[in-house]
């Protein structure tokens, strides 16, 4: 698949799906601190890169290495196209132990840790359920949801990433119902690697934004990065916030991948306990230093929902959460409330105890 995208061919649809938009026009950059802006396609979305304060040659070098890195990561961790993860999944399904590809091992390890802290509400071992719901498809069309029996047959086998055992490179799994799908964490892990790469190149002020999920380092020529959080209802702007230093903003939303069948709405974030799309949440935005944790946590808190997000956020060490439920009500912790600038009337705001 050609993942490159020229400036002129940027599809409007991709721009529209962004959960959070970086407000590029919010602050100008002086001549001494030029701003270089690049984009590419990866992880099924538009990845935007803005680098401040380096010359064009250096910025282009950074862009090119990120392009190679993203191409590699996209291929390596793709949930349904052939590649290293596909080989791991084949071995698991066949009950065979394998020497795990080094490109996949760290992602499994870190996912196991985050899954445990989320009480397995974030669980990349549930790929079979995601597939059953028809989300292992680049061209998602309306279709009948799976039968209750088919869902129960998988849920009854309790597939979980905790069933995967690692001993050095040696990977075994005692549950053939497990299928690894890193859709809920891969983008965050990839953005962390991209930021590492930029830092290694001596870049101190930059933002990597993949379809609205992002990590920013430094500042935008002395100004904070201004981030817009999408309104899950209608796609306008729900809130604005400022980011400086080194911070990631990740949103899981029911508007990202979904279909409607016979008037019923089905989205892509599955509750591993029931096997059905998680109920009650429209979107969750998490701020956290690293993007990997932010990505996994946004998914976990989406599943946890309005009643349980606080407990799971504490377990995962998350300090800033905004959850919007399917009624449009907002839930946040006091520190998050201080940072968000709401852009629309909200029917009710529930502020939790401090995290
Ligand atoms: P995100 O947009 O980061 O919340 O990730 C959603 C994607 O992760 C889905 O498209 C699935 O591929 C996968 N997924 C769905 N539900 C879960 C879950 N409960 N835990 C882990 N991954 C999930
Ligand atoms: Mg996620």
């Amino acid at each position: 698949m050609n993942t490159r995208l020229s400036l002129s061919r940027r599809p409007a649809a991709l721009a529209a799906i962004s959960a959070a938009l970086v407000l590029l026009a919010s602050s100008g950059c002086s001549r001494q601190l030029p701003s270089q802006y690049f984009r590419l396609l990866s992880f099924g979305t538009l990845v935007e890169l803005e680098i401040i304060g380096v010359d064009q040659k250096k910025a282009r070098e950074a862009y090119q290495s990120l392009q190679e890195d993203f191409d590699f990561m996209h291929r390596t961790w793709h949930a349904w196209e052939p590649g290293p993860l596909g080989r791991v999944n084949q071995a698991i399904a066949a009950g065979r132990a394998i020497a795990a590809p080094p490109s996949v091992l760290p992602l499994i390890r870190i996912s196991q840790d985050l899954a445990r802290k989320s009480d397995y509400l974030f669980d990349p071992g549930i790929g079979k359920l995601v597939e059953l719901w028809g989300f292992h498809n680049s061209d998602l069309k309306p279709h009948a949801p799976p039968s209750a029996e088919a869902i129960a047959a998988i849920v009854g086998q309790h597939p979980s990433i905790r069933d995967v055992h690692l001993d050095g490179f040696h990977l075994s799994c005692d549950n053939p119902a497990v299928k690894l799908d890193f859709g809920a964490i891969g983008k965050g892990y990839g953005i962390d690697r991209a930021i590492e790469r930029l830092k290694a190149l001596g870049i101190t002020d930059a933002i990597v934004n993949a379809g609205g999920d992002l990590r920013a380092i430094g500042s935008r020529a002395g100004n904070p990065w201004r981030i817009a959080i999408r309104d899950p209802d209608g796609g306008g702007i729900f809130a604005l916030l400022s980011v400086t230093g080194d911070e990631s903003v990740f949103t899981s939303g029911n508007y990202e991948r979904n279909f409607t069948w016979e008037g019923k709405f089905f989205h892509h974030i599955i509750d591993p306990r029931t096997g059905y799309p998680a109920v009650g949440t429209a979107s969750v935005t998490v701020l956290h230093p690293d993007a990997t944790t932010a990505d996994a946590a946004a998914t976990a808190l989406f599943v946890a929902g309005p009643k349980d997000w606080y407990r799971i956020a504490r377990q995962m060490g998350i300090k800033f959460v905004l959850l919007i439920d399917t009624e449009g009500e907002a839930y946040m912790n006091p520190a998050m409330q201080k940072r968000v600038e709401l852009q629309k009337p909200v029917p009710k705001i529930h502020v939790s105890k401090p995290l």
Side-chain angles (χ1 to χ4, degrees):
M1 182 170 68
N2 182 8
T3 55
R4 310 275 152 78
L5 186 73
S6 75
L7 275 171
S8 56
R9 284 169 52 224
R10 176 184 180 176
L14 277 178
I17 61 167
S18 286
L21 313 161
V22 183
L23 300 184
L24 294 171
S26 64
S27 60
C29 293
S30 69
R31 282 230 164 77
Q32 290 71 35
L33 290 167
S35 160
Q36 321 268 344
Y37 179 62
F38 304 93
R39 29 190 162 192
L40 55 111
L41 262 186
S42 193
F43 290 105
T45 192
L46 184 69
V47 180
E48 296 169 279
L49 165 68
E50 194 186 356
I51 304 174
I52 311 288
V54 298
D55 61 33
Q56 220 175 3
K57 185 168 165 284
K58 180 142 201 161
R60 186 144 281 281
E61 183 195 340
Y63 166 62
Q64 272 158 2
S65 77
L66 255 57
Q67 211 164 26
E68 283 164 22
D69 289 351
F70 272 110
D71 278 353
F72 174 79
M73 294 187 287
H74 179 73
R75 271 199 314 276
T76 307
W77 305 326
H78 205 286
W80 62 90
E81 282 173 9
L85 183 59
R87 286 197 293 282
V88 172
N89 278 331
Q90 275 172 7
I92 291 175
R96 255 189 300 117
I98 60 162
S103 52
V104 179
L105 268 178
L107 201 48
I108 298 178
R109 284 212 183 88
I110 198 153
S111 292
Q112 285 188 319
D113 180 50
L114 290 165
R116 185 177 44 77
K117 288 178 179 148
S118 80
D119 279 5
Y120 296 93
L121 301 183
F122 157 75
D123 194 330
I126 64 161
K128 277 197 186 221
L129 283 169
V130 180
E131 185 178 26
L132 181 69
W133 279 94
F135 291 111
H136 281 180
N137 195 329
S138 308
D139 183 22
L140 186 64
K141 293 202 176 79
H143 57 274
S147 69
E149 293 72 29
I151 295 166
I154 299 177
V155 173
Q157 296 175 77
H158 305 288
S160 169
I161 196 162
R162 80 180 114 190
D163 303 326
V164 174
H165 307 292
L166 294 175
D167 181 7
F169 277 86
H170 188 265
L171 182 152
S172 61
C173 179
D174 40 30
N175 186 345
V178 170
K179 183 169 188 176
L180 297 174
D181 168 346
F182 292 113
I185 190 171
K187 205 202 280 181
Y189 190 78
I191 288 180
D192 279 340
R193 301 292 73 76
I195 291 287
E196 249 171 31
R197 173 80 80 190
L198 295 179
K199 286 181 174 174
L201 288 167
I203 291 166
T204 52
D205 303 278
I207 189 162
V208 181
N209 176 9
D213 293 323
L214 58 94
R215 178 165 166 185
I217 52 171
S219 69
R220 196 163 189 272
N223 298 305
W225 304 94
R226 293 284 287 163
I227 313 294
I229 298 169
R230 176 178 155 154
D231 183 357
D233 180 18
I237 295 178
F238 188 87
L240 295 172
L241 56 90
S242 292
V243 165
T244 39
D246 189 348
E247 197 167 35
S248 307
V249 182
F250 269 69
T251 300
S252 284
N254 63 4
Y255 48 80
E256 279 165 6
R257 304 200 77 208
N258 56 64
F259 61 92
T260 302
W261 186 256
E262 294 180 345
K264 279 200 178 144
F265 176 79
F266 301 99
H267 65 78
H268 67 138
I269 303 172
I270 308 296
D271 187 333
R273 300 165 295 192
T274 64
Y276 285 79
V279 192
T281 311
S283 76
V284 175
T285 300
V286 167
L287 314 190
H288 195 74
D290 76 87
T292 309
T293 306
D295 196 356
T299 309
L301 301 184
F302 188 106
V303 177
K307 292 208 170 70
D308 211 18
W309 67 269
Y310 179 83
R311 186 178 69 86
I312 301 296
R314 279 194 78 112
Q315 279 180 201
M316 297 186 84
I318 305 298
K319 301 292 178 205
F320 298 95
V321 178
L322 165 66
L323 182 150
I324 303 166
D325 74 9
T326 43
E327 305 300 316
E329 298 186 6
Y331 298 72
M332 46 190 146
N333 59 301
M336 185 64 151
Q337 190 192 24
K338 281 206 187 97
R339 286 187 64 177
V340 291
E341 302 152 36
L342 298 178
Q343 299 297 304
K344 64 171 274 190
V346 179
K348 193 161 185 194
I349 299 174
H350 309 254
V351 181
S352 70
K353 287 183 289 180
L355 273 169

